[in-house]
Amino acid sequence: MATIITEPSYTFNEFLLIPGYSSAECRSANVSLKTPLVKFRKGEEPSITMNIPMVSAIMQAVSDDKLAVALATEGGVAFIFGSQSIENEAAMVRRAKAYKAGFVKSDSNLSPDNTLADVIDVTNRTGHSTIAITDNGTAEGKLVGIVTSRDYRVSRMSPDLKVREFMTPLEKMVTAPESTTLKEANDIIWDNKLNSLPLIDDEGKLCYMVFRKDYDTHKRNPNELLDEHKRYVVGAGINIRDYKDRIPALIEAGADVLCLDSSDGFTEWQRQVILWIRENYGESVKIGAGNVVDAEGFRFLAEAGADFIKVGIGGGSICITRETKGIGRGQATSVIEVCRARNEYFEETGIYIPICSDGGIVYDHHITLALAMGADFVMLGRYFARFDESPSNKVNINGTYYKEYWGEGSARARNWQRYDMGGAEGKMAFVEGVDSYVPYAGSLKNNVAVTLSKVRSTMCSCGALTIPELQQKAKLTLVSATSIVEGGAHDVIQKDTTPSVK
């Protein structure tokens, strides 16, 4: 007979945190949101620690290279979607890694024979005001000059004027050799009051550009998540079908961490992927796995060698897996059970495997609830899909702006590999996601700042200054349906009905 669990499974909305004692130190400015992304042994440090507990979902409508840069700037990690060609995904990873390398490959280049009209066109297309002038007009050509906005006046110069007539020639420029370190380059920039510094090789060919603005950006974004080479940390999604070809390409492109993109992680197919990685790369390649919803699923992936484990089936706003297949579990119950199993595993083995709560986040405070229940970070799709940096289109419907948002199991995404059970039959015959809109919300930076201010404030109310301390001190209570209604505005006529959350 089937195993029947009569206790209901719960969602985040059915829990509240009970405030604890807050000392004088419990101020938002003192809260640290650092959290491990990958597993580590007791007494050691994880190889990747995030500065905020947020990663973006492996979705076409959410995670491309632009969002990867924006999220890493704030201290989190984006997992670039894998439901595209290997070449395209690797290119996205490569662009994100190159964006803030300190040493940037110039992507705005012209030759001396180009015209002012070409300069204006490049500036309008790229938004870049600094254009490297090389002998052949490419990023690898021999540097002969540079053009910035100070070199020309559109109102006083003919559009047909050749670049050679108004560019700053090489002999009047400050350059540095290819071997220059980032610190040395920044010192040269400051000492010479430059906006940019070209690095050239022994043959005079342009290798990289170092920009003053990158240094300024770092100072304005102290939480940005960088690798040992000062490049943004970037994740990438993989599947159980073409991983033997996709993984090498993503690693070569610079991906810091990979994640299996699947609706059900409790499968032999995921174990085989992890084993293949360990056989070919050892522990150097970091791989997340999932999704699971109970202790048994966690133990399976932990013993297979996963570096972090995702929890949640059917709780996403665009996911209809529960409706279609009748499988899943309430997200809060899933997180609580899996995190309890994670703690037991840690006691047994001395290996701590971070837990990612994936799905079921509707309000900002649900993030804090997930952390209090034991999750180390949350994966968000709808949340990030609303922002300027997501790859979907912004549309105007009856005077209100929205962003398009579709599930990976929808007909639009056609990402059947996410729901693939590994058999020879391959593709599925039905969808497990929908195509939808979400209200446009502006920039990622501004919205993440508001969300995390709420998380920090709630942690202070619980007397916790770190995520591990929150998990130790938190007291959670189940609430009734009436309590949920009572928790919002009620028995009044609101002047402003704009949602204050999400």
Side-chain angles (χ1 to χ4, degrees):
M1 181 177 174
T3 299
I4 299 176
I5 301 172
T6 57
E7 173 73 16
S9 63
Y10 297 102
T11 67
F12 292 133
N13 220 37
E14 294 170 282
F15 283 88
L16 286 175
L17 283 157
I18 297 176
Y21 168 71
S22 300
S23 70
E25 293 299 309
C26 285
R27 302 192 306 272
S28 293
N30 293 337
V31 172
S32 169
L33 294 177
K34 287 182 177 295
T35 192
L37 177 61
V38 296
K39 69 182 178 185
F40 59 95
R41 291 190 175 275
K42 188 175 184 178
E44 298 179 356
E45 293 294 322
S47 59
I48 304 176
T49 297
M50 295 189 294
N51 293 321
I52 63 172
M54 303 171 78
V55 301
S56 68
I58 310 168
M59 300 177 69
Q60 295 173 7
V62 178
S63 299
D64 65 354
D65 49 299
K66 186 177 180 182
L67 191 120
V69 168
L71 185 50
T73 300
E74 301 309 311
V77 173
F79 285 89
I80 291 174
F81 71 93
S83 51
Q84 59 180 319
S85 72
I86 295 173
E87 294 74 19
N88 286 349
E89 186 180 11
M92 285 188 180
V93 171
R94 200 171 286 111
R95 288 198 296 270
K97 294 298 291 185
Y99 184 89
K100 181 70 187 324
F103 303 110
V104 179
K105 280 287 187 182
S106 177
D107 60 358
S108 297
N109 310 282
L110 292 172
S111 77
D113 292 326
N114 284 107
T115 65
L116 175 60
D118 296 323
V119 170
I120 296 169
D121 177 62
V122 169
T123 299
N124 289 338
R125 281 190 293 106
T126 66
H128 299 162
S129 59
T130 299
I131 300 175
I133 309 302
T134 61
D135 58 350
N136 60 8
T138 71
E140 292 79 27
K142 191 172 182 179
L143 186 67
V144 295
I146 198 166
V147 169
T148 71
S149 57
R150 293 176 296 183
D151 290 314
Y152 60 89
R153 292 283 296 276
V154 175
S155 61
R156 297 187 178 186
M157 297 164 62
S158 168
D160 298 325
L161 188 66
K162 297 290 187 182
V163 167
R164 67 174 72 254
E165 300 298 324
F166 60 90
M167 71 180 187
T168 300
L170 180 63
E171 56 267 22
K172 293 184 179 180
M173 293 171 56
V174 177
T175 63
E178 181 183 9
S179 59
T180 303
T181 67
L182 186 59
K183 183 181 184 307
E184 291 169 341
N186 282 321
D187 288 342
I188 294 171
I189 287 173
W190 284 99
D191 291 344
N192 292 275
K193 299 180 179 179
L194 305 173
N195 287 323
S196 63
L197 177 69
L199 303 187
I200 58 178
D201 64 16
D202 294 337
E203 297 178 359
K205 292 182 178 180
L206 179 63
C207 299
Y208 302 101
M209 298 287 290
V210 179
F211 293 93
R212 174 192 289 263
K213 67 178 177 64
D214 287 343
Y215 180 86
D216 293 338
T217 297
H218 175 64
K219 292 302 180 184
R220 291 195 303 270
N221 298 287
N223 280 333
E224 61 183 356
L225 193 59
L226 307 176
D227 65 16
E228 59 184 359
H229 302 295
K230 306 299 183 184
R231 302 175 300 180
Y232 284 128
V233 173
V234 178
I238 63 170
N239 61 68
I240 63 171
R241 286 284 178 180
D242 63 10
Y243 62 91
K244 292 182 181 179
D245 296 318
R246 191 173 293 268
I247 290 173
L250 296 175
I251 296 303
E252 190 277 332
D256 298 278
V257 58
L258 307 176
C259 186
L260 278 156
D261 181 25
S262 173
S263 65
D264 181 4
F266 196 175
T267 72
E268 177 61 19
W269 312 108
Q270 287 215 5
R271 191 179 77 89
Q272 288 183 6
V273 174
I274 298 170
L275 291 178
W276 184 86
I277 289 174
R278 297 296 173 242
E279 289 169 2
N280 289 274
Y281 295 95
E283 297 292 331
S284 64
V285 170
K286 306 303 179 184
I287 175 71
N291 289 21
V292 298
V293 294
D294 62 7
E296 192 177 0
F298 166 82
R299 177 70 66 157
F300 175 80
L301 291 177
E303 293 176 350
D307 286 292
F308 68 85
I309 294 174
K310 291 198 298 169
V311 176
I313 292 177
S317 60
I318 40 67
C319 182
I320 56 172
T321 294
R322 296 182 191 176
E323 294 178 21
T324 304
K325 295 174 66 176
I327 64 170
R329 199 179 197 186
Q331 188 67 11
T333 298
S334 300
V335 170
I336 290 168
E337 179 174 325
V338 171
C339 289
R340 186 179 293 122
R342 184 270 315 281
N343 294 343
E344 293 171 356
Y345 186 82
F346 180 54
E347 289 297 318
E348 292 175 23
T349 66
I351 299 173
Y352 186 91
I353 302 178
I355 297 301
C356 170
S357 177
D358 177 18
I361 302 290
V362 180
Y363 303 105
D364 288 340
H365 76 269
H366 288 172
I367 297 175
T368 319
L369 286 170
L371 298 175
M373 291 171 182
D376 297 277
F377 54 96
V378 297
M379 176 172 277
L380 304 164
R382 180 196 59 84
Y383 178 89
F384 288 116
R386 303 170 302 145
F387 303 150
D388 290 318
E389 294 83 358
S390 75
S392 65
N393 294 322
K394 184 171 74 171
V395 296
N396 187 318
I397 302 176
N398 297 326
T400 301
Y401 282 103
Y402 298 87
K403 292 274 282 187
E404 293 180 315
Y405 180 46
W406 58 95
E408 286 297 293
S410 67
R412 179 171 181 172
R414 305 191 66 79
N415 183 14
W416 308 126
Q417 290 171 325
R418 172 176 168 78
Y419 303 89
D420 187 357
M421 295 305 291
E425 67 277 5
K427 294 181 180 180
M428 289 184 60
F430 54 89
V431 299
E432 293 188 45
V434 300
D435 199 344
S436 64
Y437 299 102
V438 288
Y440 168 66
S443 75
L444 179 148
K445 184 179 185 67
N446 292 340
N447 282 276
V448 166
V450 171
T451 295
L452 294 181
S453 70
K454 296 177 185 178
V455 173
R456 293 186 180 97
S457 179
T458 304
M459 288 174 63
C460 287
S461 293
C462 295
L465 294 177
T466 66
I467 292 173
E469 190 177 11
L470 174 68
Q471 293 166 348
Q472 180 183 16
K473 292 183 175 181
K475 291 188 293 184
L476 295 109
T477 180
L478 278 167
V479 295
S480 67
T482 305
S483 296
I484 295 172
V485 174
E486 181 186 64
H490 59 88
D491 300 312
V492 295
I493 300 173
Q494 294 187 67
K495 295 181 180 179
D496 181 6
T497 57
T498 301
S500 60
V501 292
K502 303 184 185 179

